Amino acid sequence: MFGYLQPDKSELRIKEDELYKSVYCGLCRHLGRDYGFMAKMTLSYDCTVFAMLALSLENSNCKVNKASCTLNPAKKCLYCSSDSKAFELAGALSVIMAYYKMSDTISDSGLFKRIGAGTGRLLLSRSYRKASGAYPSIDAIASKMIDKQYEAEANCVGLDESSEATAKGVSQVCRMLSDDPSVQQILEVFGYYVGRWVYLMDAADDLEKDIKHHNFNPFIPKYNETGKNTEETMLYCNEVLNLTVSQIVLSYDLLPVDRFSPILDNVVYNGIPAQQKLRLFDKYKKGKEEKNRDYSDELF
Amino acid sequence: MDPYKVLGVSPDATDDEVKQAYRKLAKKYHPDRYQNSPLAESASEKMKEINAAYDQITNQRKNGGASASGSYYGSYSDGTASGGGSTRFGNVRILISQGNYSQAEEILNSVPSTERDAEWYYLMGVVVYHKGWLEEANNYIATACSMDPGNAEYRSMYNRIQAQRRGSGGGYNVSTGSGCTGHICTDVCGCLTCLLCMNLCNRSGS
């Protein structure tokens, strides 16, 4: 999807980082095995987190082996594998979402991007057919999500309404991770706010680009209201995102996660704030200011 | 279910360690944190589970002596439900307390714009907050507060939302320059939770 859901590596223990990487490589391997080589190009951090959540909720056993990387044979890496549906589901999600994202790019971008996305979509079409055939429900959710998004953006709606399509899509996909109705209800709420956060995070991150290209962005009214002050607008974006995160945390705290919980905790409690800091504030800092990290409070 | 597993401690844990684990979880799933959340019911279930586990352990350790003081922090103080029929929108408040948010929204929407008072804005805020439209909820609650600045109920929800916007419930806090590192960050930052902590300390003495 967008790469916003990932752990804050500086806060991970070394063995947790290894396990996280092994899920990333494991998903890559499963993508190749289930949906063909091209499907590996859709690998993302978001789907890795999704796979980890799926593995955690299933509480099934997974093995970690060492093998050489298929993209870089000189490198050996740890990869996690499991007989459960977790990787299959995360892989299908990854392929289907990437396919729709490319279709979206084809419909509303400049010529060069359109050619790139068109080629990508063509190369991915076989994987897509396989994934949507295996998981028609994910395909239906993704297709509806893109349609609703298009509709909302054409009507230039506000923050809540514009993020609703992604929020509902992620909510429905997360619901699939359990058969227990009480857990499904928590997953629906969790997915709703995660989807909302990802959409709004992407909007805040793309604000400058969208203004330049006259694209829809739900934060533009606020930007104009502040007299086109980027810093002030980003402080506002951060408030909007924090309010959403408060609801992610509440629902996450109720999920019965056990395995992978240190990494998933990190994503929710550290990774999300770190992404907000990086994309809303650090991005605008220049040169030295950005590079010199101040550790004085953290280490002593 | 194994009560030690519920509290996440080993059976060898000391009484103090059990109490500490219990308090931490009781804060995490406290009804105040889940006010107006669609998951209030799930949190309440979790709370009951934790209370029962703690009761069971304390009873076992007293060698089957007198039963412990019963439930602790599980009671629900649903702010929106109180008042019943005494206010103008008593019927809407009842629907909300029953979890029937869509019908509550329907009734509120049918009120002509000239007859919308502070309570209408407040309840509308509660309804849209529940369905996840947090920014609209923020605007409604702010309007309710400006129309009736002395109302404690409206003010309390307004303050809670503002604290969450600053990062008290997770996310990036600009003034401290950090994300939250604790698991239950709300309980460290929010002023509501300071009261809660005091409450916990007082009760633990008894």
Side-chain angles (χ1 to χ4, degrees), chain B residues 57-119:
Chain B
I57 295 174
T58 28
N59 284 339
Q60 276 170 4
R61 293 192 171 191
K62 277 182 185 165
N63 290 326
S67 88
S69 45
S71 70
Y72 305 82
Y73 320 113
S75 66
Y76 251 76
S77 55
D78 195 334
T80 55
S82 64
S86 63
T87 63
R88 190 176 155 216
F89 292 107
N91 54 340
V92 175
R93 283 175 184 266
I94 289 168
L95 286 170
I96 289 173
S97 72
Q98 290 166 345
N100 195 341
Y101 284 83
S102 55
Q103 208 183 331
E105 188 176 8
E106 222 171 273
I107 293 175
L108 288 171
N109 275 325
S110 68
V111 174
S113 52
T114 49
E115 290 169 32
R116 294 175 178 179
D117 57 3
E119 192 189 10

Side-chain angles (χ1 to χ4, degrees), chain B residues 123-195:
Chain B
L123 291 172
M124 201 59 189
V126 169
V127 166
V128 299
Y129 185 89
H130 183 267
K131 76 169 176 184
W133 289 35
L134 306 176
E135 289 308 304
E136 286 206 359
N138 183 35
N139 294 338
Y140 281 126
I141 301 293
T143 310
C145 276
S146 67
M147 286 169 90
D148 185 358
N151 188 303
E153 188 186 28
Y154 312 161
R155 179 64 55 185
S156 133
M157 179 148 181
Y158 178 78
N159 288 343
R160 197 153 58 96
I161 292 179
Q162 298 320 307
Q164 285 170 338
R165 294 182 85 87
R166 285 191 298 272
S168 75
Y172 178 62
N173 188 324
V174 182
S175 56
T176 62
S178 65
C180 62
T181 44
H183 282 208
I184 28 171
C185 34
T186 5
D187 296 336
V188 185
C189 324
C191 62
L192 167 111
T193 20
C194 294
L195 289 170

Side-chain angles (χ1 to χ4, degrees), chain A residues 222-236:
Chain A
K222 186 68 191 183
Y223 178 74
N224 292 332
E225 205 183 290
T226 62
K228 313 205 170 198
N229 182 328
T230 307
E231 203 184 326
E232 217 177 296
T233 311
M234 286 303 141
L235 284 170
Y236 171 79

